[in-house]
Amino acid sequence: MAEHTGSSSLFAIFFLSIYSLFLVPYTLWHLCSSSEDDAVQAWADKGKKKKSKLGASLKKLLNKGNLLILALWALWFLLLWYVSITAKDLKPFDPFEILEIEPGATDKEIKKAYRTLSLKFHPDKNPDPKATQYFAEYITKAYQALTDEVSRKNYEKYGHPDGPQAMNVGVALPEWMFAKDKNVAPLMLLALVGVGILLPLAAVSWYMLSSNKFTGPNRIMQETLAFYYHSKYSVKESQALVRIPETLVCAMEFITMPTPSEQTLSLDELRKIVLRSNPDLKEKTQFWKRKASVLKAHMLLLAHLDRETDNVPANLQADMKYVLTKSLVLLEEMLKIAMLPRPPHGYGWQTPSLAIVEMLQCMSQALSIEFRKPTGKLSEASAGLLQLPHFDTDVLKKLKRRKVNTLKELQDLEEKERVEALQSCGLASSHVEEISTLLSSLPSIYVRAACEVDGEEEIMEGDVAKCKVRIMLTRPSHNAETFEVPTKGKAIRAFAPKFPAPRDESWYFFLTDQATNSLMGYTKASLQEAEAYGFAHPEAAEDWAAGAGEAKAAGTEAGKDNRPVPKALATATKFINRYSNGRQHTAGAEDSGEGGSDEEAGQEVELSFMAPPKAGKYELQLHVMSDCYVGCDKVVPVKLRVSQMTRAIAEGRDAKALAKMQQWQDSDEEEDGEEGKSRRKKGKAEPKAEGSEEEGKGEEEEEEEEEEDEDEGDDYDSDETGELETGSEDEEEEEGEEEGEDLPPLVEQEDVMNNEGKSTGKAAAGSKKNN
C-alpha cells in the first residue's frame, strides 16, 4: 500500500512555480509602466547645478519599485538554490552516475572507480557519518548493481539492486504537516481546506462582486456615470463653471466615503473655514442639508480652491487628498459625457466642456472659481495673476499701482525689477522665488489651423473633415541652463505647488460653433514635440506671432484657384522664405539637409469632425486649453465654407474613388505578376525556330492590348480633380454641365470610352496582322 508523506523538496518546487507565476508578470508590468520620475519638469531649479547623467541615472534606478523587484528576484534565486540542493533526493537510482563513469564501462573501469570512491567515503578513511551512509546506500549498491549478477538483474528489472521498492507517494507540502499524531492531523486538514480552498474562493468572490461596481480604465463606479448622465445634478447643456462642483461632488465615490463620529468637531471647524471665504453659502440651506459625505467632499474642495489647505484639521487631510486626486478622474468622465455626440447633427456641448477644463485649471493652481465668473469684478487677466502662489486681491491692488495688470506684463519685467515689485507687495523672498518659478514655467503657444477633407479641394455637406493644427510652445524657462529638453514619450511635469499630487501637462483642443453651442471636434494631446521645436527654434516665435497679426489685417489671401486662404496661414510664404535656406529641425522628425517648411514646423494635431449638414459659411473657434495653467489658453478663429453636395460632384467623387481603387489594384497586380511575366517571356523565347514568328506576333498583340487597357484605366486623373482627362468632347460636356444641361453620369461616359477604345484597339491589331 502506498504511503502518503510530505516532501519538502516537492513543496519547494511547487512554491517556486507559483512564485514565478506572480513574479514574472509583475516584473514585466513594472518595467512597462511609466513611473512618476519618467517626466520632465517644465521649470528650472535656480541655484542648483545641473546633475550629472550618471547620478541622475543611479537615482532613477535605485527607487523603491526597482529595489522591491531586486529583493523579490533575490528571493527567487534563493528558492532556486534550495530546490537544486533538495532535488537530489528525487533523482532515480543511477549506478553509473554514482560511480562517476560512463554507461557501458568495462569491469576494470568499474572496479577502479569503486576503489577511488572507497578511498574517499569508506568508514576507515572518512569517519564522517554522512560519508559512511553515502558509501553504504549508494556506492556499495551501485558497485553491486554493476558486478553482482543478482543485483544487476534486479536493477535491470526493478531499477534498484535490492529489487522492488515500496511506493512512496510524496505530496508537495512540508513534511511537518504530515505528523502521525492523531490530535494534530484534524487541525492540519482543517487548515488545508480553509487556506487552500475556502480562502481563495472567498477572495475571488469578493473581487468579482466589487469589480462589477466599476467600469473603464479609470475605475469609475457605474452609478456615478449614470448619475452624471441623467439625474437632477447631471451635466447640462448650458452648465457654467460655477455649477461644475455641484455635479462633481455627487459622485458615488464621495457618497460612500466614510464619515466617522471622530470627525464631527473637525467638520465644524472646516465649516467655519469655508464660510470665512464663502459667506454667501450661509443662506443656502440646501447646501447644508445634503448627505454628510457629500457635504464633506464639497467643503474640502472649496477649502483647496480658497487655499485653506494648511488650516484643514489633520484628521481630514487624507480625505482631502483623496477628494482632490479622485476629482481629476471624475472631471475627465464628466468631460466625456459633455462631448458625447447628440442629435440632430451629432455634436457635443461647448459650454460644459470648456467649463470642465477651466475647473481642472482652478484645481491645479488652487484658484477660487469666484475669480473666474464672467459677471465678477475681476477680469480673466486678474484671474491669471491670482493663480500665482501667495497671491491675493491685496497683492493684486498693489501691483496695479505699478501698472502691472497681466501675467505678460509681470513676466516682461526685468528680474531685479520684478523681485523689487513683489517684495514691495509684502511677499517674502521664498515666496518671490516660488512665484518666479511658476512664471518661468508658464507656456506660450502659437497656433495655426486649417480645415480640409483628405483628397478633396472643397468641404461638402456631411463630409468627414479634419482640422489640422500646427503648434509651437515656448517658456521663459527655456533660457535656463538646467532646463531639460522634453523627448517623445516623456510627460511634461507642471508646476502645481498647491496640488497634493504630481500633475502632468495636457492640452485640450475643441472646435466649436459658438452660435449653436456645439462642440464639433475635440482631442487631447501632450505637446512634447511642440516644446522641443520651440526650444530649438526660439526665433520662430516672432514669425508665428507676426503671422497671426498680419493674417488679421490681411484677412484672406488668394490661392491658385482664387479661393480664400485661412487667416492663420496668410504668412506661410514669409515663414518658408526665412527658414528654408538653412538646416531646419522639425520636432518628431529626423534632421535633413533640406530646409523645413512652415507646414512641417512644430507639432501637428488633427481633429476629425462632421461638416455641417447645410451649405454656407461658418465662423468657428478653435480652443486650445491647458489643464494646469490659467491664462495660457488660445482661441483661434476658423472660417469654414461648406459647399452644396450636387449630383455631379457626388458622382465625380465616386468615380474618383473607383479609379483610385483600380489604380491600387493594378499596382498590386503588377508587383505580384512581375515574376510571372518574366517567366512567360523566358518561356516564349525558348521555343523552336519554326513557331517563333507566330508566337512573336502573338506576343506583340498581347502587349498592345495591355497598353490599351492601361490607357483606358487612365481616363480619370485621381491625383488631382477626379475629372476626365479631356479631349474636345469632354470639354463640351463640362460646359454643358455649367449651363444646366442634363448629361449622362460619368460612369456611363467611362463605359462608352472604354468600348470605343477596345474597338479601335482591335482594328489596329487587325491592320497589323494584314500588314
Side-chain angles (χ1 to χ4, degrees):
M1 182 177 179
E3 180 183 358
H4 295 270
T5 60
S7 177
S8 299
S9 55
L10 287 176
F11 176 70
I13 296 173
F14 172 74
F15 184 77
L16 181 63
S17 303
I18 299 299
Y19 185 65
S20 301
L21 290 176
F22 156 77
L23 182 58
V24 173
Y26 177 74
T27 304
L28 294 176
W29 171 82
H30 178 75
L31 294 176
C32 296
S33 61
S34 59
S35 61
E36 292 183 356
D37 295 334
D38 193 19
V40 178
Q41 64 182 25
W43 66 95
D45 295 327
K46 292 185 177 181
K48 293 184 179 180
K49 295 183 179 180
K50 193 171 183 179
K51 298 180 180 179
S52 63
K53 293 184 178 180
L54 180 61
S57 301
L58 288 176
K59 186 176 180 181
K60 184 177 180 180
L61 290 175
L62 298 178
N63 54 27
K64 293 181 180 180
N66 292 340
L67 291 177
L68 177 61
I69 291 292
L70 290 176
L72 293 175
W73 276 103
L75 179 59
W76 188 87
F77 281 107
L78 183 63
L79 286 172
L80 183 64
W81 171 77
Y82 178 76
V83 167
S84 63
I85 292 177
T86 58
K88 294 180 180 179
D89 300 336
L90 303 176
K91 292 182 179 179
F93 184 83
D94 188 356
F96 296 102
E97 183 179 357
I98 296 172
L99 295 178
E100 299 177 359
I101 57 177
E102 297 293 334
T106 62
D107 294 340
K108 185 178 180 180
E109 292 175 346
I110 294 172
K111 292 178 180 180
K112 182 179 179 181
Y114 176 71
R115 284 195 300 267
T116 303
L117 294 175
S118 298
L119 295 175
K120 187 176 180 180
F121 294 100
H122 196 276
D124 296 339
K125 303 296 183 180
N126 192 341
D128 189 0
K130 292 184 178 179
T132 303
Q133 182 181 2
Y134 182 73
F135 181 80
E137 294 183 0
Y138 289 94
I139 297 176
T140 303
K141 291 181 178 180
Y143 178 71
Q144 292 176 356
L146 298 177
T147 57
D148 185 66
E149 295 183 2
V150 177
S151 299
R152 180 186 288 272
K153 290 181 180 180
N154 289 333
Y155 172 70
E156 293 175 354
K157 187 175 182 180
Y158 302 107
H160 199 276
D162 294 338
Q165 302 292 309
M167 182 179 291
N168 184 14
V169 180
V171 183
L173 291 173
E175 296 178 359
W176 56 267
M177 297 185 66
F178 289 85
K180 296 183 179 180
D181 189 356
K182 296 182 179 180
N183 297 326
V184 179
L187 297 177
M188 290 296 177
L189 180 61
L190 291 176
L192 288 174
V193 173
V195 177
I197 300 176
L198 297 180
L199 184 60
L201 183 61
V204 171
S205 301
W206 172 82
Y207 175 77
M208 294 298 294
L209 292 174
S210 60
S211 62
N212 289 335
K213 299 179 182 179
F214 302 95
T215 184
N218 293 328
R219 304 288 293 168
I220 302 299
M221 288 189 177
Q222 295 180 358
E223 293 88 342
T224 299
L225 297 180
F227 189 88
Y228 284 168
Y229 187 76
H230 183 72
S231 69
K232 180 181 178 181
Y233 295 99
S234 62
V235 179
K236 304 283 192 308
E237 182 178 4
S238 58
Q239 190 169 6
L241 174 61
V242 292
R243 296 295 181 187
I244 295 297
E246 296 179 1
T247 303
L248 173 63
V249 298
C250 293
M252 189 59 63
E253 284 81 355
F254 297 151
I255 294 175
T256 57
M257 187 168 55
T259 308
S261 58
E262 293 82 3
Q263 295 181 353
T264 303
L265 296 177
S266 300
L267 289 174
D268 292 339
E269 186 178 352
L270 178 62
R271 178 177 179 176
K272 295 177 183 178
I273 294 172
V274 172
L275 288 175
R276 187 166 59 221
S277 302
N278 303 274
D280 56 321
L281 292 177
K282 190 174 182 179
E283 299 177 357
K284 296 181 179 180
T285 56
Q286 294 296 330
F287 181 87
W288 306 102
K289 289 183 179 180
R290 293 178 296 176
K291 191 174 180 178
S293 58
V294 176
L295 181 60
K296 180 174 73 170
H298 202 160
M299 288 194 298
L300 290 173
L301 181 61
L302 291 177
H304 169 71
L305 296 176
D306 296 330
R307 299 189 176 180
E308 297 284 355
T309 305
D310 297 336
N311 298 327
V312 174
N315 59 346
L316 294 177
Q317 290 290 340
D319 290 338
M320 186 171 192
K321 183 177 181 180
Y322 172 76
V323 169
L324 295 178
T325 53
K326 199 68 178 179
S327 294
L328 298 179
V329 181
L330 294 172
L331 285 171
E332 289 185 3
E333 297 300 325
M334 290 175 60
L335 182 59
K336 293 176 183 178
I337 293 175
M339 297 187 302
L340 282 176
R342 292 175 172 84
H345 305 313
Y347 299 147
W349 293 333
Q350 171 191 346
T351 302
S353 300
L354 302 181
I356 290 170
V357 179
E358 290 175 352
M359 185 66 189
L360 286 170
Q361 298 172 354
C362 292
M363 289 187 61
S364 299
Q365 300 299 335
L367 177 65
S368 176
I369 58 179
E370 298 293 330
F371 297 144
R372 305 197 69 178
K373 284 184 177 181
T375 58
K377 298 180 181 179
L378 299 176
S379 61
E380 184 68 21
S382 300
L385 284 171
L386 287 172
Q387 74 174 321
L388 298 175
H390 313 290
F391 259 58
D392 53 19
T393 53
D394 295 334
V395 176
L396 206 62
K397 292 177 182 178
K398 294 177 182 179
L399 283 179
K400 284 185 177 181
R401 296 171 189 170
R402 291 177 168 265
K403 297 182 180 181
V404 177
N405 299 316
T406 63
L407 279 171
K408 182 65 176 174
E409 294 175 354
L410 185 60
Q411 285 178 318
D412 291 342
L413 294 177
E414 296 291 337
E415 185 176 359
K416 185 177 180 181
E417 185 180 358
R418 183 170 62 246
V419 171
E420 182 182 352
L422 293 175
Q423 289 180 347
S424 66
C425 297
L427 296 171
S429 300
S430 59
H431 296 169
V432 173
E433 184 176 354
E434 194 173 356
I435 293 169
S436 300
T437 303
L438 181 55
L439 286 173
S440 67
S441 64
L442 289 177
S444 298
I445 58 173
Y446 305 89
V447 183
R448 296 179 177 184
C451 297
E452 62 180 23
V453 177
D454 290 339
E456 303 295 340
E457 293 185 351
E458 293 181 330
I459 299 177
M460 300 297 174
E461 300 169 335
D463 276 350
V464 178
K466 288 184 179 179
C467 180
K468 294 188 176 181
V469 186
R470 281 282 169 184
I471 312 153
M472 174 182 173
L473 188 148
T474 61
R475 305 178 197 268
S477 60
H478 287 180
N479 300 323
E481 295 181 358
T482 57
F483 181 79
E484 183 180 355
V485 183
T487 57
K488 190 173 182 180
K490 281 192 174 184
I492 301 175
R493 183 63 45 79
F495 185 74
K498 296 296 182 180
F499 200 80
R503 293 279 289 127
D504 293 337
E505 285 187 20
S506 295
W507 293 81
Y508 291 90
F509 296 78
F510 301 120
L511 184 64
T512 65
D513 186 0
Q514 192 173 7
T516 59
N517 191 29
S518 299
L519 179 65
M520 303 176 66
Y522 58 88
T523 189
K524 180 181 178 182
S526 182
L527 302 184
Q528 294 101 331
E529 296 179 30
E531 182 158 6
Y533 180 83
F535 180 83
H537 303 274
E539 71 281 355
E542 180 181 354
D543 292 272
W544 284 61
E550 291 180 11
K552 289 182 180 179
T556 58
E557 180 179 309
K560 293 181 180 180
D561 52 358
N562 296 326
R563 287 198 304 271
V565 177
K567 293 182 180 179
L569 300 178
T571 58
T573 305
K574 175 184 175 183
F575 188 89
I576 293 172
N577 292 336
R578 178 171 180 179
Y579 291 104
S580 62
N581 296 327
R583 179 168 178 162
Q584 178 74 7
H585 170 76
T586 302
E590 296 181 358
D591 288 340
S592 59
E594 300 179 358
S597 65
D598 182 32
E599 296 180 356
E600 299 174 354
Q603 179 177 345
E604 184 181 40
V605 178
E606 291 186 356
L607 291 80
S608 298
F609 66 97
M610 187 71 69
K614 292 184 179 180
K617 295 181 179 179
Y618 295 87
E619 300 288 339
L620 307 181
Q621 289 182 339
L622 175 67
H623 295 261
V624 184
M625 304 181 68
S626 169
D627 65 342
C628 294
Y629 301 111
V630 180
C632 301
D633 305 336
K634 187 75 69 175
V635 181
V636 180
V638 178
K639 289 187 176 182
L640 181 67
R641 179 182 178 182
V642 180
S643 303
Q644 187 177 4
M645 178 66 77
T646 61
R647 179 182 176 184
I649 295 175
E651 291 175 349
R653 285 191 173 187
D654 293 340
K656 181 179 178 180
L658 291 173
K660 184 171 289 188
M661 290 177 62
Q662 184 64 33
Q663 183 180 359
W664 291 343
Q665 187 177 357
D666 293 342
S667 62
D668 293 340
E669 291 178 355
E670 288 177 2
E671 293 176 359
D672 296 338
E674 282 179 358
E675 296 181 359
K677 287 182 179 179
S678 61
R679 291 175 183 174
R680 287 197 298 270
K681 289 180 180 179
K682 289 180 180 179
K684 291 173 182 177
E686 290 177 357
K688 297 179 180 179
E690 295 179 356
S692 59
E693 296 180 359
E694 297 179 359
E695 292 181 359
K697 292 180 181 180
E699 184 177 353
E700 290 178 359
E701 293 175 2
E702 290 181 1
E703 291 179 355
E704 289 175 1
E705 291 179 0
E706 289 179 0
E707 291 177 358
E708 292 168 3
D709 293 340
E710 290 177 358
D711 295 337
E712 293 168 5
D714 291 335
D715 289 340
Y716 291 95
D717 184 5
S718 60
D719 293 334
E720 295 184 2
T721 62
E723 299 176 354
L724 288 170
E725 293 182 348
T726 58
S728 59
E729 297 177 0
D730 299 329
E731 292 175 358
E732 292 175 0
E733 290 173 355
E734 289 178 358
E735 292 176 0
E737 283 185 5
E738 294 177 357
E739 296 174 0
E741 298 176 3
D742 294 334
L743 296 177
L746 294 177
V747 179
E748 296 179 3
Q749 296 177 21
E750 184 183 10
D751 294 338
V752 172
M753 293 183 67
N754 290 342
N755 294 331
E756 292 177 359
K758 291 180 181 178
S759 61
T760 56
K762 291 179 180 179
S767 64
K768 284 189 177 182
K769 287 183 179 180
N770 295 331
N771 293 331

